[in-house]
Amino acid sequence: QAKKLGKNQYKYYDKEVEEAVYLRKKLAEHVHKAVNEGMFNLLFMPIVDTNTRTIERAEVLIRSDYPPLKKAGPAEFIPVAEEYGIIEKIDLWVLESVCKIIQENTKTFSRYSEFKICVNISSVELHNKQFVEQVKLLLKKYAINPRFIEIEITETSLVSTDQMSCDVLTELNELGFSLALDDFGTGYTAFSQLVNYPIHCLKIDRSFVSEIGNKTKDGAIVINAILSMAKSYKLETIAEGIETDEQYQYLKQHGCMMMQGYLFSKPMPWDDIHQFIL
Ligand code: C2E
Ligand code: MG
Ligand code: MG
Ligand code: MG
């Protein structure tokens, strides 16, 4: 009896895996089509100063109106693009779009000189020798100052012994970009290793923020540790996913410098956010 059940479960598992693989492959074909036919657009999510609540930065988030990708969202289609080798085109398209925006709004940017656009770049590029060269070409083509761009790399992608990613980050830093570690707290970076990277900013992952106010204090403990460490290393801090006033107050009291989340604003088109920073 037990044996028979086991066998059936195994078959069921096989079928599920097969189906998941098939769906990912199908999604990869949609991403391919979207890349080739330019079916992406960008939204901008305000990042506000904790004390003044004025917009300091804006994070660019990719979207698509192409139904299969609209349904999946970037959390699903970006990993597929990474797996199928299509991510470089996407990352460079996003970066080029941002360079264009900065070029077209040079006056605004230089008047409001602290403002930055934050761009998510896949950790795949940390192992892509072409990437920095392509970025240099973009800077040349648009003749913009990279200090208006912050590059976000997810923390989970960093391995301290990996010289190549360290070199790519160093080159980006030397070109003049700011660098932020995204989803911070979810990876394994020992605090002491942070000095090895040219990092300016830590983005505290939304999963910890959403735990504020829970009976278990785990989220708060992680947040406090990150904030006090950031302070001693003189790193900027941004908390992600602020939805309630309780979360806002907690992070404010503990010295988090900047925040983003639905409490302040949802992501919006450039023309809308432009009104706020003019
Ligand atoms: P991320 O870089 O950590 O971006 C933050 C995500 O949290 C965004 O989801 C944003 O919409 C969401 N978020 C921010 N505040 C709140 C809040 O208060 N409540 C809730 N429920 N959500 C909030 P999104 O746009 O779906 O992006 C998911 C992930 O996809 C991003 O996580 C990033 O890793 C990746 N991604 C997005 N755009 C790009 C892109 O242009 N290039 C690359 N390489 N990756 C991207
Ligand atoms: Mg991000
Ligand atoms: Mg994040
Ligand atoms: Mg993320």
Side-chain angles (χ1 to χ4, degrees), residues 42 45 59-63 73-75 78 82 87 90-91 94 119-122 152 154 182-183 203 205-206 240-243 260-263 265 267:
L42 299 175
M45 185 169 208
E59 177 175 10
V60 192
L61 297 165
I62 198 165
R63 295 289 181 266
I78 291 291
E82 291 176 337
I87 191 66
I90 296 179
D91 282 341
V94 175
V119 182
N120 291 288
I121 294 294
S122 165
E152 297 189 7
T154 51
D182 204 351
D183 305 341
K203 295 193 74 172
D205 192 63
R206 181 154 67 93
E240 294 185 294
I242 314 296
E243 293 182 353
Q260 71 185 100
Y262 296 168
L263 181 67
S265 170

Side-chain angles (χ1 to χ4, degrees), residues 124-153:
V124 167
E125 316 310 351
L126 299 181
H127 290 109
N128 175 356
K129 287 203 174 77
Q130 303 297 314
F131 185 70
V132 176
E133 293 312 311
Q134 297 294 326
V135 171
K136 281 185 194 163
L137 289 178
L138 281 181
L139 290 179
K140 220 170 162 182
K141 179 171 174 192
Y142 292 93
I144 57 139
N145 192 331
R147 80 185 155 110
F148 298 123
I149 300 176
E150 179 155 270
I151 289 180
E152 297 189 7
I153 299 276

